[in-house]
Amino acid sequence: MNGRQWRTTIAAAQAGDRRALDELVEGWLPLVYNIVGRALNGHADVDDVVQETMLRAVDNLGTLRDPDSFRSWLVAIAMRQIRDRARRRTSESLADDAAQEATDFAELTVLRLQLEGQRREVAEAVRWLDDEDRQLLSLWWLEVAGELTRRELAAAVGISRQHTAVRVQRMKARLEAARGIVRALDSSCPELRELTARWDGRPDSVWRKRLARHIRGCRHCAAPGETVVPAERLLVGLALVPIPVGFTLSLALGGKTAVAATTAATGVGWSAKVVAALTKPAVAMTAGATIVAGGAYVVTQPDSRPPKAAAPPTASSTSRPKAPSPTAALSPSPSPSKTRKDLYGTVVDAVDRAPDPNARPVDLPRRPESGLTSTGGPKAVMQHRGDSVTLSGQGYVLVRWQISPKSRPGAVVMPAWTGLKGKLFHVASGGGRRMDDTFAENADGYTSGMGGPRVGYAVLPTGTQQMWQNEYFYVDGTVTLTQNERGGDYGLIVFPSNREAVTKDVMTGPAQGAIRYGLVRDTGDDTAPIPQYVTRSTPADASTVRQKSLLTGWSRGPGPP
């Protein structure tokens, strides 16, 4: 989401709304972390630079005249902090620097986004770039992924767009040369093995030149062996690298305590506001702990085990709930600002684990079916961003997922239910499989419905419950479903249905050719779950419905707003 779409939140934060400030910090921290992390390649200083960036942004938010320029303004602050850090450390010795190295960002990118093939090669090639190129790459990578515009990139670097284009081309050329080094080191060239016998494995400019010189003169290493895909095509749609477990955001920066930072602010400064909102205790920004607006905190236990190679990644794969029961995710605590009588339903807002394949679901409760009309007719096919269908009446509807990483892998912007009048429930999941159920790789390179190592993966927003092939909902009123595709490629087919068809689907189990039985989520009353991305408002662009859940900072209560 760009600065323009955050205008209301930014304006509220400038006016002193603490919840808006919470939301602003939580919403933009991942972008800042990715810029700084990639620019510094995961150095131990990343935490300090990220925190200093966020503190300066909060301190100076009142000086921002145009909320639409917030993103470029924030990125420019991050780049200044990166350059300031580079100037401060010029006197450090190489030995001291080596001692402070953390897990580099290339490794985090590969592991957390589960990159394979040439995407993995691009991430690993970053290690061979100089600091200046890496800083530019940290912005260009996000431009290609759709998180920044070229105007914002140029503003952050502090040069014209024309000059930026020249610098990006030069950086890309050096990145391609670095990719050649990565490929060569993975090869079986005997001369290269002899050349690197005394190399300690740490990329540096001396070895980069030696290896590049060898590659240019070696017929074995110079041959790519397969078509080399341009880096920008590989990076399109990639998700942001999730903030790692253990990352802590607090205001004890630069030797200053939170109290000192507050005192330094004049009047009721933004430091004071962010201290009140984000400390007591400090906010642990991890894959399993995050801010909830208003100073509440939701903590889940992250799964520390690395994902299996064949399993498709999700942005929330490191924050699975502790309880394995699928029903455990259906009852998040209601917002303390609202009472149960004001709400209906619960938000399915966590990644529940797949049930046992042979576990038959409970009976689907009966709900009135007076009839459901669809503006898309009996079969609405939505393949492009902006496609929508409006459902009216009282009855069941099937939403069938078709995810296509082979066309374009990466971050999935989930569909949104908007303009709700009445009630909407998520009643069952079926189709014989969850989309992340693995199977033997097929001819197209898929190992699950979410993709595979050869074709890439579709990556869900943090906190999103893994969808099944068929998802069933019950409408009692009117609501519009909109396809919000950007990044990861997917399609939806929407069919008005009925209880009999839903029951038949979810009761189809492994013995009948499916991977697993379905799952009934309906409780039969108003405590049944509702979809995550639903609102009673009618935004001009449905993709602006927040791609957040309660576990990742959604400030509303369990019922739709």
Side-chain angles (χ1 to χ4, degrees):
M1 186 179 294
N2 60 33
R4 184 183 301 274
Q5 293 165 324
W6 279 82
R7 169 182 279 276
T8 302
T9 302
I10 295 166
Q14 288 180 315
D17 187 323
R18 194 184 75 179
R19 289 195 176 193
L21 188 64
D22 279 355
E23 183 179 338
L24 206 59
V25 172
E26 186 266 339
W28 289 95
L29 182 61
L31 179 67
V32 172
Y33 170 74
N34 273 259
I35 292 172
V36 176
R38 193 162 282 118
L40 302 186
N41 197 31
H43 189 277
D45 287 351
V46 167
D47 290 16
D48 289 343
V49 175
V50 170
Q51 294 189 67
E52 186 66 28
T53 297
M54 299 308 294
L55 178 61
R56 287 181 180 272
V58 169
D59 274 338
N60 294 284
L61 188 59
T63 68
L64 179 65
R65 295 182 178 180
D66 181 10
D68 290 347
S69 64
F70 176 81
R71 184 167 63 178
S72 58
W73 177 76
L74 179 62
V75 172
I77 293 175
M79 295 306 295
R80 282 197 297 273
Q81 296 311 307
I82 290 168
R83 296 187 193 106
D84 287 348
R85 177 261 186 190
R87 285 192 291 268
R88 289 194 301 268
R89 62 186 287 273
T90 51
S91 60
E92 294 179 11
S93 68
L94 291 177
D96 289 341
D97 183 64
Q100 295 183 43
E101 287 293 334
T103 302
D104 68 40
F105 211 78
E107 184 176 340
L108 283 176
T109 302
V110 170
L111 292 178
R112 293 184 177 277
L113 299 185
Q114 205 170 354
L115 304 184
E116 296 288 345
Q118 292 190 36
R119 285 187 176 84
R120 181 187 186 110
E121 173 189 282
V122 171
E124 294 180 342
V126 175
R127 295 175 170 134
W128 291 94
L129 297 181
D130 293 332
D131 288 349
E132 187 173 318
D133 278 339
R134 197 179 295 119
Q135 290 175 23
L136 182 59
L137 177 73
S138 72
L139 300 174
W140 178 73
W141 187 302
L142 294 175
E143 178 195 13
V144 174
E147 299 291 340
L148 295 176
T149 66
R150 174 54 59 92
R151 180 184 63 80
E152 291 166 338
L153 190 158
V157 178
I159 57 179
S160 67
R161 292 194 201 183
Q162 292 78 6
H163 191 189
T164 299
V166 173
R167 284 193 54 189
V168 166
Q169 285 303 118
R170 291 173 180 169
M171 179 274 296
K172 285 168 57 179
R174 287 188 280 267
L175 178 64
E176 292 302 323
R179 291 177 66 188
I181 292 174
V182 173
R183 283 193 299 272
L185 290 173
D186 285 340
S187 71
S188 57
C189 174
E191 293 181 10
L192 186 63
R193 284 203 302 271
E194 182 178 348
L195 175 64
T196 58
R198 297 183 179 181
W199 178 44
D200 65 2
R202 291 176 56 82
D204 59 40
S205 59
V206 174
W207 276 101
R208 184 185 65 212
K209 292 174 183 177
R210 288 178 183 175
L211 295 174
R213 186 163 54 246
H214 166 80
I215 292 171
R216 286 194 297 270
C218 177
R219 296 177 60 185
H220 186 279
C221 294
E226 63 175 325
T227 301
V228 178
V229 180
E232 52 265 49
R233 287 181 54 191
L234 297 170
L235 303 181
V236 168
L238 278 185
L240 295 178
V241 174
I243 298 173
V245 173
F247 181 92
T248 301
L249 178 65
S250 72
L251 295 184
L253 303 173
K256 295 190 299 183
T257 64
V259 174
T262 304
T263 305
T266 58
V268 184
W270 288 107
S271 292
K273 293 182 184 300
V274 85
V275 167
L278 303 184
T279 59
K280 304 177 187 178
V283 180
M285 292 302 299
T286 73
T290 185
I291 304 169
V292 174
Y297 303 95
V298 177
V299 180
T300 61
Q301 294 296 322
D303 187 346
S304 59
R305 297 169 298 176
K308 296 180 181 179
T314 66
S316 52
S317 60
T318 57
S319 59
R320 290 179 176 176
K322 197 170 185 178
S325 171
T327 60
L330 303 184
S331 301
S333 299
S335 166
S337 63
K338 297 184 178 181
T339 60
R340 169 57 58 188
K341 65 181 181 180
D342 298 324
L343 307 170
Y344 81 88
T346 58
V347 178
V348 180
D349 70 334
V351 183
D352 62 353
R353 297 183 179 181
D356 184 289
N358 295 300
R360 293 175 65 90
V362 299
D363 291 336
L364 182 70
R366 292 188 178 276
R367 290 185 179 273
E369 295 181 73
S370 60
L372 196 65
T373 61
S374 166
T375 57
K379 178 181 178 181
V381 180
M382 302 194 294
Q383 298 281 17
H384 306 288
R385 181 177 182 177
D387 290 350
S388 67
V389 60
T390 298
L391 304 161
S392 301
Q394 198 176 53
Y396 294 90
V397 61
L398 160 63
V399 177
R400 177 171 294 166
W401 280 86
Q402 296 178 319
I403 298 180
S404 307
K406 190 173 184 180
S407 299
R408 188 172 64 250
V412 174
V413 180
M414 297 293 285
W417 302 86
T418 63
L420 175 63
K421 296 178 181 178
K423 297 179 181 180
L424 175 68
F425 299 102
H426 182 193
V427 297
S429 300
R433 64 187 176 104
R434 290 195 352 163
M435 294 298 282
D436 62 346
D437 281 331
T438 57
F439 45 78
E441 183 171 339
N442 64 23
D444 291 329
Y446 281 74
T447 55
S448 79
M450 302 298 288
R454 283 202 292 134
V455 299
Y457 292 98
V459 182
L460 304 183
T462 301
T464 298
Q465 186 180 45
Q466 177 65 57
M467 76 285 288
W468 293 51
Q469 176 74 74
N470 293 341
E471 293 289 0
Y472 290 95
F473 302 87
Y474 178 82
V475 179
D476 185 0
T478 299
V479 69
T480 297
L481 177 64
T482 302
Q483 210 267 39
N484 291 322
E485 177 186 273
R486 189 194 75 179
D489 193 321
Y490 71 91
L492 301 173
I493 306 178
V494 181
F495 307 79
S497 188
N498 55 64
R499 182 182 178 277
E500 181 181 357
V502 179
T503 299
K504 181 178 179 181
D505 185 349
V506 299
M507 288 299 178
T508 299
Q512 298 159 287
I515 294 177
R516 66 179 72 249
Y517 282 98
L519 185 64
V520 169
R521 305 182 185 278
D522 196 353
T523 61
D525 55 29
D526 278 6
T527 65
I530 64 173
Q532 277 178 278
Y533 310 118
V534 57
T535 176
R536 294 192 186 279
S537 66
T538 53
D541 181 358
S543 68
T544 61
V545 173
R546 298 185 59 201
Q547 298 284 291
K548 300 285 184 181
S549 74
L550 290 177
L551 289 180
T552 54
W554 206 342
S555 60
R556 70 173 178 79

